[in-house]
Amino acid sequence: MHTGFSRGRSGGLERPRGEVMLSSFACRQNCWGAWPLSFLGGLDPIPALSPQSGPTLDMPVPSSFNDVGQDGQLRSFVGWVWYEREITLPQRWTEDLGTRVVLRIGSAHYYAIVWVNRVHVGGHLPFEADISKLVQSGPLSSCRITIAINNVLSPHTLPPGTILYKTDPSMYPKGYFVQNTKFDFFNYAGLHRSVVLYTTPTTYIDDITVTTDVDQDIGWVNYRIVVQSSDHLQLDVCLLDEEGKVLAKGAGVQGQLQVPSAHLWWPYLMHEHPAYLYSLEVKMMAQTAVGPVSDFYTLPVGIRTVAVTESQFLINGKPFYFRGVNKHEDADIRGKGFDWPLLVKDFNLLRWLGANAFRTSHYPYAEEVLQLCDRYGIVVIDESPGVGIALVESFSNVSLQHHLEVMEEMIRRDKNHPAVVMWSVANEPASFLKPAGYCFKTLIAHAKALDPSRPVTSVTNTNYEADLGVSWLPSLVICVNSYYSWYHDYGHMEVIQLQLATQFENWYKAYQKPMIQSEYKADAIEGFHEVKHLLMRMLFGVATVENSMETTTWSGSSTTGYLSKENKNTN
C-alpha cells in the first residue's frame, strides 16, 4: 500500500484506463511478468544503488514475494529487496520529444526507491514519475528499471510497527531482530499491483474531480479539470448514457451538466437497475511550441447523493443499511498480489451472500476493485492503512504528517468512485491516549476539507466514554468493533444480546448518530464441529453471529449496518 514518503507524484487519474483509448499520443506497456529479485537485508534507511549480486529469484509481478519461493526465510524476510528488469521501449517513445513517458507503480509495500537507467526518480505506491528525459537522452532501445523495496515498519509508518533486537548471545545470533506489529494480519511485501509505462502528450489532462447532486428527477454533474503545461487550450466535455447517447455538453476547466430524468446510481438490491453509470468524456486541444496536441479521457460517473441524519445513512434520500463484510486482498501464494480471477470470484461471492457493502480493511485496495464496485453497486467504506496505531509515538507530529499525506493520496485516487460513500481514517487506534484527540481532529478536518461530499469515520473498539477520536467527526457515523463472548466473557453467549444493546444505547445517547457494527463474530477451527457451542468449534462462531444479529433495535432506533469479521490471513 502507498504509505511511505514519495519522491514521485502520487497517482490520481489511472492513465491509461484499461478500457479507454486516450489519444494518438497514448500508449501503454504493462511490465507484468517475472522480475529477477535479490535480497539485501539490513535496516539502513536508503541503500546505495549497486548491481544485483549473488543469487536471484524470479518473482512474478504483481505478487507478494513472501510465499512464492520454498525458502522459509523468505516468508518472514524483513529488510531491503531489489527488483530489476530491462524493458524494451517503442522507438517513438525515445525519439519524439513531444511524447511524455511515465512510469507508474500501482503498489509497492512498504517503502520504495526507483531508479531508471541508474537515476533515482521515484518513491512508492501509488506513484508515478515522468521519465521522458531519461529515456529520450540517447535515444535508447530499452531501459533498466530497478526498484528497491523495504518492508520495515516503524512507529511512524502506516501501519506502524517496531523492531525489537534480541541481544542475549546464548539464545540469538548477533544482530538478530524481529518485526513487531499491533495488527493481526500478515505483513505481505513486494510489488502488489501493476507496473506500467505509458505515454501522454507533453500537455495533458492531469486530474478530474466530479461531484453529483439530485433535484427531484434532475441530476447534476459538477466537474473540475486540471491540465498541465499549457494555458492556451480548449476543453470540451460531454456526458453520455450507457447507450452512448450524448445528454449534456460543457466547456472549460469547470462547469455543471444538467441531466433530465437522470438514472441514479443505486446500490445492489436497492433498485431494479442498480449501479447505472454515465460516461464523462473530456477532450483537450492545446497549442504548444511543437504545434497542436490533443488528449482525451473518459471517466465513469454515477449520479447519487450521500447524507447522514441522527439515525440513518441515506443514499439518494433513502435509508441505506450496510450489509456486508470486511475484506482483505490476501490469497494463497500470490499474497496481496492483484489477481483478476480471484477478484471476480470475490464479487460473485458477495452477490451470492446478498451483501451490498464492504470495508477496505485495513488499507486502500486496488483501483480495479473499486471499478467493479461502481459497476456492480457494491458500497465501499474506503479505509486508510491506519491500523495498529497503539503507541504514543504513533500520534507524534511526524506520524500525523504522514497520515495526512496518505489520506490526501487516497482521496485523490478514489474521489470519483460513486461506490465509495465514506472515508475511514483508522481502525481500532488507541484513541483513549491523550494525543489521539488532536490527531484525529486534524485528520478528520483534513479529510472533510479534501472531500466535503462524504462522511468520515474512525472505526473504534474503545469505550464510548474514553474515545477521544470520534467526537471530532462532523458528519458522524459511529463504527464499532466488538467481539462479545470472545474477547471477554469467553464462551458465554447468553450475555451477548444485553451487552450489545447496552453498547448501542450508550453510543447513541452520547452522539445521536447512526451506527455500524463494523466487526463482530468469533474465530473457529474449520471443520471442528461439536453438538455443544464450545469455544473454537464452528457452531460457536455461527451462534455468536445469530445472537449478535438478534439485537438490532433499541429505544426506537436501529443500527445502520453490520460488517462481519474480516478474513485475516495469518498463516
Side-chain angles (χ1 to χ4, degrees):
M1 65 199 74
H2 185 184
T3 45
F5 297 101
S6 174
R7 289 173 172 78
R9 176 184 167 279
S10 63
L13 292 179
E14 184 189 3
R15 307 237 14 205
R17 293 175 61 86
E19 70 275 16
V20 176
M21 292 298 294
L22 287 166
S23 69
S24 58
F25 281 92
C27 295
R28 172 183 178 126
Q29 181 169 319
N30 283 318
C31 303
W32 291 27
W35 289 53
L37 180 75
S38 59
F39 297 83
L40 275 69
L43 303 180
D44 295 334
I46 299 178
L49 178 64
S50 61
Q52 287 184 339
S53 60
T56 62
L57 177 68
D58 281 343
M59 186 56 57
V61 173
S63 77
S64 302
F65 62 71
N66 306 85
D67 292 342
V68 173
Q70 292 301 105
D71 187 345
Q73 293 182 351
L74 185 61
R75 167 73 176 180
S76 56
F77 180 84
V78 177
W80 288 100
V81 300
W82 292 76
Y83 292 80
E84 191 166 73
R85 184 174 173 184
E86 197 83 13
I87 304 294
T88 301
L89 299 173
Q91 184 177 356
R92 182 170 68 85
W93 292 18
T94 64
E95 295 181 352
D96 184 358
L97 300 183
T99 297
R100 172 176 168 264
V101 184
V102 181
L103 172 66
R104 189 177 199 270
I105 297 177
S107 169
H109 187 76
Y110 174 79
Y111 181 90
I113 302 172
V114 181
W115 290 265
V116 175
N117 292 334
R118 302 187 178 276
V119 178
H120 182 190
V121 295
H124 61 277
L125 157 81
F127 79 95
E128 60 183 33
D130 185 338
I131 63 170
S132 306
K133 292 181 179 179
L134 300 174
V135 301
Q136 293 168 354
S137 59
L140 305 170
S141 61
S142 65
C143 69
R144 177 177 295 178
I145 299 175
T146 306
I147 305 173
I149 295 179
N150 192 333
N151 64 343
V152 174
L153 301 180
S154 77
H156 306 305
T157 58
L158 277 185
T162 56
I163 295 294
L164 177 63
Y165 283 92
K166 304 282 191 174
T167 57
D168 186 342
S170 67
M171 298 180 65
Y172 307 101
K174 184 178 179 180
Y176 186 84
F177 64 88
V178 293
Q179 171 80 77
N180 288 332
T181 62
K182 295 292 185 180
F183 52 86
D184 52 358
F185 54 92
F186 189 74
N187 186 37
Y188 280 112
L191 291 172
H192 288 155
R193 297 170 194 161
S194 60
V195 177
V196 174
L197 288 166
Y198 73 89
T199 64
T200 71
T202 51
T203 296
Y204 59 96
I205 300 167
D206 182 50
D207 194 24
I208 303 171
T209 301
V210 169
T211 58
T212 62
D213 203 354
V214 178
D215 182 8
Q216 296 182 3
D217 69 336
I218 297 176
W220 298 96
V221 177
N222 308 293
Y223 65 86
R224 187 173 69 254
I225 304 165
V226 177
V227 175
Q228 291 292 342
S229 302
S230 178
D231 294 326
H232 306 287
L233 57 90
Q234 177 181 338
L235 281 172
D236 294 315
V237 179
C238 63
L239 190 74
L240 291 75
D241 63 16
E242 288 187 344
E243 286 71 44
K245 179 183 178 182
V246 176
L247 303 178
K249 293 183 178 181
V253 295
Q254 64 180 26
Q256 185 179 64
L257 305 178
Q258 180 178 337
V259 186
S261 304
H263 297 282
L264 302 187
W265 187 94
W266 289 100
Y268 177 57
L269 298 179
M270 199 173 176
H271 192 271
E272 59 181 344
H273 299 295
Y276 192 95
L277 292 174
Y278 294 89
S279 295
L280 185 76
E281 290 188 351
V282 179
K283 299 178 181 179
M284 181 211 75
M285 292 292 297
Q287 294 296 325
T288 70
V290 297
V293 298
S294 62
D295 197 11
F296 178 75
Y297 198 88
T298 298
L299 182 72
V301 172
I303 299 176
R304 61 104 179 96
T305 61
V306 171
V308 175
T309 71
E310 287 188 359
S311 60
Q312 293 178 320
F313 193 101
L314 304 177
I315 295 181
N316 300 329
K318 294 188 177 181
F320 176 75
Y321 191 85
F322 291 80
R323 183 179 292 106
V325 299
N326 296 277
K327 276 173 52 63
H328 268 292
E329 291 189 306
D330 301 4
D332 290 343
I333 303 174
R334 55 193 60 76
K336 279 186 165 53
F338 177 76
D339 185 285
W340 268 113
L342 282 173
L343 178 60
V344 173
K345 178 65 173 180
D346 264 4
F347 274 80
N348 287 332
L349 286 170
L350 285 169
R351 293 187 291 176
W352 174 72
L353 286 169
N356 61 11
F358 66 79
R359 176 168 59 125
T360 66
S361 51
H362 302 289
Y363 40 83
Y365 289 1
E367 290 143 306
E368 293 88 344
V369 176
L370 300 184
Q371 290 166 12
L372 282 190
C373 289
D374 292 341
R375 289 172 53 188
Y376 292 155
I378 303 297
V379 168
V380 177
I381 301 173
D382 204 352
E383 188 161 271
S384 85
V387 59
I389 305 175
L391 302 174
V392 173
E393 302 97 296
S394 297
F395 291 102
S396 68
N397 288 336
V398 174
S399 297
L400 175 58
Q401 181 59 38
H402 178 43
H403 205 149
L404 291 170
E405 292 170 355
V406 170
M407 289 302 302
E408 185 166 348
E409 292 169 2
M410 183 176 78
I411 291 173
R412 172 182 166 86
R413 192 195 72 167
D414 298 344
K415 62 188 174 184
N416 292 323
H417 289 284
V420 175
V421 300
M422 184 159 50
W423 307 112
S424 172
V425 299
N427 177 75
E428 296 186 3
S431 50
F432 53 86
L433 295 176
K434 188 175 181 180
Y438 173 77
C439 282
F440 282 101
K441 177 182 179 181
T442 306
L443 280 168
I444 292 161
H446 185 59
K448 287 298 293 182
L450 292 168
D451 179 18
S453 70
R454 292 177 175 90
V456 182
T457 192
S458 177
V459 180
T460 184
N461 64 346
T462 300
N463 182 274
Y464 79 101
E465 292 180 308
D467 197 302
L468 302 176
V470 297
S471 59
W472 302 108
L473 293 169
S475 51
L476 181 65
V477 176
I478 303 291
C479 291
V480 183
N481 295 347
S482 49
Y483 291 89
Y484 295 113
S485 191
W486 180 247
Y487 283 5
H488 54 81
D489 296 309
Y490 314 112
H492 291 281
M493 290 180 294
E494 66 274 10
V495 303
I496 291 176
Q497 295 183 37
L498 174 60
Q499 293 179 0
L500 193 60
T502 301
Q503 166 192 275
F504 288 141
E505 290 280 2
N506 289 335
W507 277 106
Y508 192 76
K509 287 177 182 177
Y511 294 102
Q512 299 289 301
K513 290 294 181 180
M515 285 166 282
I516 298 176
Q517 183 68 58
S518 43
E519 288 185 27
Y520 67 96
K521 198 178 175 291
D523 284 344
I525 299 173
E526 183 179 0
F528 196 10
H529 293 273
E530 195 160 314
V531 174
K532 295 181 180 179
H533 296 167
L534 302 177
L535 281 172
M536 301 310 298
R537 274 62 169 181
M538 287 189 70
L539 293 180
F540 174 74
V542 173
T544 56
V545 172
E546 291 174 345
N547 277 275
S548 297
M549 293 315 303
E550 285 182 19
T551 307
T552 57
T553 61
W554 71 99
S555 299
S557 300
S558 66
T559 55
T560 298
Y562 67 90
L563 301 175
S564 71
K565 181 181 184 293
E566 73 262 22
N567 179 22
K568 297 174 180 176
N569 186 337
T570 54
N571 294 329

